[in-house]
């Protein structure tokens, strides 16, 4: 990704009666004459939100960020409370384009639609303590909450035309907050993106997805008579990120780890967080200070390797919390591999060594994911996987492409043609995805100051 050039972020909740809305009533300057890109969205959209650390995040946000960096403009976001008000403002050219809106089919002809970059499935979410609903009729008379003005509310409104008995509450909460309420049993059902439900299940094991209501696509929406210059630049941008694998990398960065752990994995990990992590956290924090690697990532790696068991040992002699080989322990000057502090610090230093060894062209977060794979199978396997990526016209600097070539290392057809030979590359992919999943859970339940 390009470095950020966003210096101004202005949120206008005009639909909520707040002040400062008049400045957005005028049409924006034409794209060819402006120094800022004005983008309109709605308050509750699944792929544009404020993350746990208070930063703007989401696939849609990152795409706009990347596009603005490419064309050299600042960004000003205008946030409306409902889709209708956002579309009305867009139709009046009060923004250059809109994001995060699921435009009704009957209104599509009023706008210019950009390329599709994401397909979304919307599901009924329920609490696993209760029976799974089999159809929409089972929801009649039940407590349902959805974000006010969201795509999910629009879907229920369509269904209500055929099933008038259906009712729900539209609330000023995000999908993430509603899924948390669902886990606590405070509501019976909500509607959410299937990927959000999968992600929520890592933090809230009782949250499950039932039947699918509908599907939709994500794309940017432009006013009629938008300048051809802007549309051309947008089309070129999406062609580039699709061809270079940037879009796939971005999707993987948000969703790639959410298919790795079973409910049992998550349950036992959370139990260990309560029982074992408090006694180990100071060691992980010390390792973070020495290596500048997030202690939660190191803790996730240690759990994947040993389930935080300092006495862990494999038949090949790999030992300790971070499962160090004899050679790595000797290289990191570990005197007692079963002593937790020594083992954790040594494992962190070795991971940093692997990260530093990768070519400068490998950027974060791909650098970290590749280093984790190297931690599992050795740095030479990354060299071989990168060579295969080049052979298949993939990008050797992207983890999403190395995930495709690493499993080929244990196939004789390929292993006989590479420098380091046969390896269990699929295990490296599994470890990396598992560590990423455990890391996301730790970021949610064990924050920086916890």
């Amino acid at each position: 990704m390009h470095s950020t050039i966003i210096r101004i972020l202005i949120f206008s909740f005009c639909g909520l009666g707040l002040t400062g809305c008049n400045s957005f009533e005028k049409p924006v300057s034409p794209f060819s004459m402006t120094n800022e890109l004005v983008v309109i969205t709605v308050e509750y959209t699944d792929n544009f939100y404020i993350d746990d650390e208070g930063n703007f995040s989401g696939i849609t946000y990152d795409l706009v960020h990347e596009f603005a960096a490419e064309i050299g403009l600042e960004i000003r976001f205008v946030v409306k409370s409902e889709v209708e008000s956002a579309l009305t403002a867009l139709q009046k050219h009060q923004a250059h384009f809109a994001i995060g809106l699921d435009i009704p089919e009957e209104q599509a002809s009023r706008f210019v639609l950009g390329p599709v970059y994401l397909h979304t499935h919307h599901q009924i979410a329920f609490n696993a303590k209760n029976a799974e609903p089999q159809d929409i009729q089972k929801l009649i008379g039940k407590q349902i909450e959805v974000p006010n003005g969201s795509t999910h509310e629009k879907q229920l409104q369509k269904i209500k035309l055929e099933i008038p008995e259906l009712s729900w509450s539209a609330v000023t909460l995000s999908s993430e907050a509603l899924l948390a309420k669902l886990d606590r049993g405070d509501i019976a059902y909500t509607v959410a993106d299937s990927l959000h439900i999968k992600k929520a299940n890592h933090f809230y094991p009782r949250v499950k997805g039932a039947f699918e209501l509908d599907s939709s696509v994500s794309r940017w929406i432009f006013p009629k008579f938008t300048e051809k210059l802007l549309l051309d630049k947008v089309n070129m941008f999406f062609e580039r990120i699709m061809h270079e694998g940037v879009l796939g990398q971005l999707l993987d960065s948000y969703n790639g780890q959410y298919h790795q752990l079973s409910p049992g994995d998550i349950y036992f990990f959370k139990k260990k967080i309560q029982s074992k992590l408090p006694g180990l956290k100071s060691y992980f924090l010390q390792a973070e200070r020495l290596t500048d690697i997030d202690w939660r990532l190191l803790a996730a790696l240690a759990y994947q390797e040993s389930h935080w068991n300092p006495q862990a040992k494999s038949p090949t002699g790999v030992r300790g919390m971070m499962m160090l080989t004899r050679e790595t322990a000797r290289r990191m000057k570990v005197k007692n591999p079963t002593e937790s502090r020594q083992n954790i610090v040594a494992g962190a230093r070795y991971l940093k060594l692997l990260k530093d060894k990768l070519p400068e062209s490998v950027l974060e977060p791909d650098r970290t994911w590749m280093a984790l794979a190297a931690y599992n199978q050795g740095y030479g396997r990354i060299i071989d996987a990168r060579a295969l990526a080049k052979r298949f016209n993939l990008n050797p600097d992207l983890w999403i492409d190395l995930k495709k070539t690493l499993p080929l290392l244990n196939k004789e057809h390929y292993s006989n043609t590479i420098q380091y030979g046969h390896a269990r590359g699929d295990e490296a992919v599994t470890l990396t995805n598992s560590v990423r999943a455990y890391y996301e859970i730790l970021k949610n339940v064990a924050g920086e100051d916890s």
Side-chain angles (χ1 to χ4, degrees), residues 155 200 251 299 338:
Q155 291 169 331
L251 296 174
T338 63

Side-chain angles (χ1 to χ4, degrees), residues 221-237:
I221 303 171
F222 302 82
K224 278 285 189 182
F225 310 114
T226 292
E227 291 172 276
K228 184 175 182 298
L229 175 64
L230 174 56
L231 296 176
D232 287 345
K233 285 190 176 294
V234 168
N235 287 327
M236 289 171 57
F237 167 73

Side-chain angles (χ1 to χ4, degrees), residues 359-398:
E360 291 183 2
S361 55
V362 181
L363 306 178
E364 290 290 3
D366 302 79
R367 177 173 289 269
T368 294
W369 311 149
M370 289 185 196
L372 288 171
Y375 191 99
N376 177 257
Q377 289 291 314
Y379 187 77
R381 312 311 180 186
I382 300 301
I383 294 175
D384 284 346
R386 284 172 57 82
L388 287 177
K390 292 177 183 177
R391 187 183 304 179
F392 296 130
N393 292 318
L394 300 174
N395 189 335
D397 294 337
L398 297 182

Side-chain angles (χ1 to χ4, degrees), residues 322 324 328-329 332 334 341-351:
M322 303 287 274
L324 305 177
T328 300
M332 298 293 111
V334 175
R341 186 195 64 80
Q342 287 187 55
N343 199 285
I344 289 169
V345 169
R349 288 175 53 220
Y350 180 56
L351 182 63

Side-chain angles (χ1 to χ4, degrees), residues 407-416 422-423:
L408 301 179
L409 302 185
N410 66 356
K411 296 183 182 297
E412 186 176 347
H413 176 72
Y414 297 105
S415 62
N416 291 337
H422 180 272

Side-chain angles (χ1 to χ4, degrees), residues 267-278 303 307-308:
Y267 173 80
F268 286 112
F269 181 50
K270 287 191 170 182
K271 296 285 284 185
K272 293 281 189 178
I273 289 173
Q274 295 174 351
S275 63
K276 299 205 70 172
L277 183 58
Y303 183 82
H307 285 202
W308 294 331

Side-chain angles (χ1 to χ4, degrees), residues 171-188:
V171 297
T172 54
L173 291 173
S174 67
S175 285
E176 285 78 7
L178 288 175
L179 290 169
K181 287 187 68 174
L182 184 66
D183 182 72
R184 296 193 300 268
D186 295 341
I187 56 176

